[in-house]
Amino acid sequence: MTKTELTEDEIALYDRQIRLWGMATQLRIRSTKVLVINLSAVGTECVKNLVLGGLNSIEILDSSKVKEEDFAAQFFLPNDDSIVGQLKLPLVVDNIKELNTKVDLSINTTPLDDALANPDYFKKFDFVVATEITKPQIIQLDDITRKFNIPLHVSGMHGFYGYILVDLIEHISQNELNESSIPRKVNIEDTRNKRIIAVKPDPQRKIDLVTYKDVFSPLKTIFDSKELAKNASKRELRKCNVLPVIFALFDVPRPKNPSDVIDINLLRDKVKETYKALNLPISTFSEENIQNLSQQAYTEFSPTAAILGATLAQELIRFLGKDYTPMNNVIILDSSHASMPIYSM
């Protein structure tokens, strides 16, 4: 078999997903090299889905040691209390490989800050997914991935709440859309950062094949972006009260002891600063969200991790499929209200 073909074993193994997204997408998946930073609860779910999807190779970068709280949501870990304090990755690699032996899986226990100091390390990857990293690390990592034109997803969670930050730099996708009574025109902005660059009508099937170009903002710009305040409707702004708290948490130190609750007064002050930075109406300020997130900050909850991990894997596969427009560019998960809005920042 050539590199542009799947083996019979691969076709049998991936039969269901080939039927779902097609042979061309599966071939792109088979040739993609992904870096996953931190095997957190979200990282665990994401890696599981990517390994089962049949990627060419996955490298996991994580220098952490096992903590007691990791057993709650990181299911690749052996159920053995004696491993607390040991490096995590050597303990889980065999369990991950058992999911799909056709995926080339490697581990790297270098600290992230050391890896960021050597930008060339990232050049060998086609896509980077980072979970539970700090705001300075997000900005530095995004600068590197942009330099090498590598798409990036960043995710993390706080109990019932979570986020995904997306920077694909630029993305071209072809979408089959039902015919419109108003003809679609080239070079028309569909939304802020999304432009129609080609339209091919198919009267027989009563569809338009529409090619979109999505442009993404650098992640360092989203934390004080005024775009949401400028473009969102009043109704959308009234519901935008979790995002400022999530953003504020990036500026609140992570407790060393997982049973500790963060300083709620500090969080409240940071939330008010975030409202000002984003130019959001303070009338949407929610004390309830501050109370909830102060108690759940940085905690891992399996159902939330499952949603975020599945979304990360799904969006990566959609990116490779090139027939869906991606989420652009901030996704906030509020499991307590079963909502997952997308904000263009």
Side-chain angles (χ1 to χ4, degrees):
M1 288 289 182
T2 67
K3 292 183 179 180
T4 57
E5 295 178 320
L6 296 176
T7 65
E8 291 184 3
D9 286 346
E10 287 174 318
I11 292 172
L13 179 62
Y14 303 128
D15 177 68
R16 283 189 176 184
Q17 55 201 53
I18 290 171
R19 293 172 188 269
L20 179 63
W21 53 61
M23 185 69 76
T25 297
Q26 189 63 44
L27 282 167
R28 293 190 196 102
I29 292 170
R30 205 272 300 269
S31 63
T32 299
K33 300 177 181 179
V34 174
L35 172 66
V36 176
I37 299 172
N38 291 338
L39 199 68
S40 59
V42 176
T44 294
E45 289 284 355
C46 182
V47 165
K48 176 198 73 176
N49 290 311
L50 293 179
V51 168
L52 291 173
L55 285 165
N56 176 294
S57 69
I58 299 173
E59 179 157 310
I60 307 172
L61 177 71
D62 189 336
S63 63
S64 69
K65 296 180 179 180
V66 178
K67 303 182 292 296
E68 288 185 7
E69 59 268 25
D70 292 340
F71 293 107
Q74 299 179 29
F75 48 77
F76 288 126
L77 285 170
N79 187 20
D80 181 358
D81 291 342
S82 69
I83 66 174
V84 172
Q86 297 182 37
L87 281 171
K88 181 190 298 181
L89 291 189
L91 298 168
V92 302
V93 64
D94 288 340
N95 289 337
I96 300 172
K97 285 181 176 180
E98 285 181 1
L99 293 177
N100 189 349
T101 57
K102 295 186 180 300
V103 176
D104 181 9
L105 181 71
S106 58
I107 59 173
N108 188 336
T109 58
T110 302
L112 175 57
D113 287 334
D114 291 349
L116 292 170
N118 178 27
D120 284 349
Y121 163 71
F122 298 89
K123 289 170 64 175
K124 61 183 177 180
F125 302 106
D126 302 309
F127 205 107
V128 176
V129 178
T131 72
E132 307 296 352
I133 65 175
T134 66
K135 185 175 177 180
Q137 288 172 335
I138 291 172
I139 293 170
Q140 189 176 359
L141 177 61
D142 192 48
D143 284 343
I144 292 170
T145 53
R146 279 190 152 254
K147 176 182 177 181
F148 297 126
N149 198 35
I150 303 170
L152 172 66
H153 283 163
V154 177
S155 184
M157 64 182 299
H158 303 286
F160 286 122
Y161 305 87
Y163 60 88
I164 299 174
L165 313 178
V166 182
D167 185 5
L168 306 182
I169 308 171
E170 287 188 359
H171 181 62
I172 305 294
S173 61
Q174 290 188 329
N175 302 257
E176 290 188 356
L177 304 178
N178 292 330
E179 285 182 336
S180 173
S181 57
I182 302 174
R184 297 181 170 94
K185 296 182 179 180
V186 174
N187 290 326
I188 297 297
E189 281 196 352
D190 191 72
T191 59
R192 187 185 83 86
N193 289 338
K194 186 190 300 292
R195 181 178 293 274
I196 297 174
I197 61 172
V199 180
K200 184 179 180 181
D202 186 343
Q204 187 173 359
R205 297 170 61 199
K206 295 183 178 182
I207 64 166
D208 289 336
L209 184 61
V210 182
T211 304
Y212 285 106
K213 179 179 181 179
D214 283 86
V215 179
F216 290 76
S217 303
L219 295 186
K220 62 185 175 186
T221 68
I222 68 173
F223 297 104
D224 57 3
S225 170
K226 307 297 190 293
E227 295 296 336
L228 178 59
K230 185 166 60 176
N231 296 298
S233 67
K234 290 183 179 179
R235 181 174 179 273
E236 289 171 327
L237 289 176
R238 282 197 300 271
K239 294 186 175 183
C240 180
N241 49 34
V242 173
L243 182 148
V245 189
I246 296 274
F247 273 26
L249 279 166
F250 282 111
D251 296 320
V252 176
R254 188 183 192 118
K256 293 183 179 180
N257 188 337
S259 63
D260 292 343
V261 176
I262 65 169
D263 185 336
I264 191 170
N265 292 320
L266 174 60
L267 176 60
R268 189 180 291 110
D269 290 342
K270 293 297 182 182
V271 170
K272 291 177 180 177
E273 291 176 10
T274 303
Y275 267 89
K276 186 175 181 179
L278 300 177
N279 202 25
L280 295 175
I282 197 67
S283 59
T284 66
F285 181 91
S286 170
E287 181 63 29
E288 178 185 1
N289 284 335
I290 291 176
Q291 294 286 342
N292 289 339
L293 276 149
S294 68
Q295 296 171 6
Q296 300 179 42
Y298 302 108
T299 59
E300 295 189 331
F301 184 49
S302 291
T304 307
I307 296 170
L308 291 169
T311 303
L312 287 167
Q314 173 185 275
E315 283 300 297
L316 194 159
I317 290 169
R318 282 185 167 186
F319 169 82
L320 296 174
K322 302 183 185 298
D323 55 0
Y324 291 94
T325 56
M327 298 190 294
N328 189 348
N329 57 346
V330 176
I331 301 92
I332 299 295
L333 173 62
D334 178 358
S335 300
S336 64
H337 291 92
S339 67
M340 199 170 180
I342 303 170
Y343 300 104
S344 179
M345 306 284 287

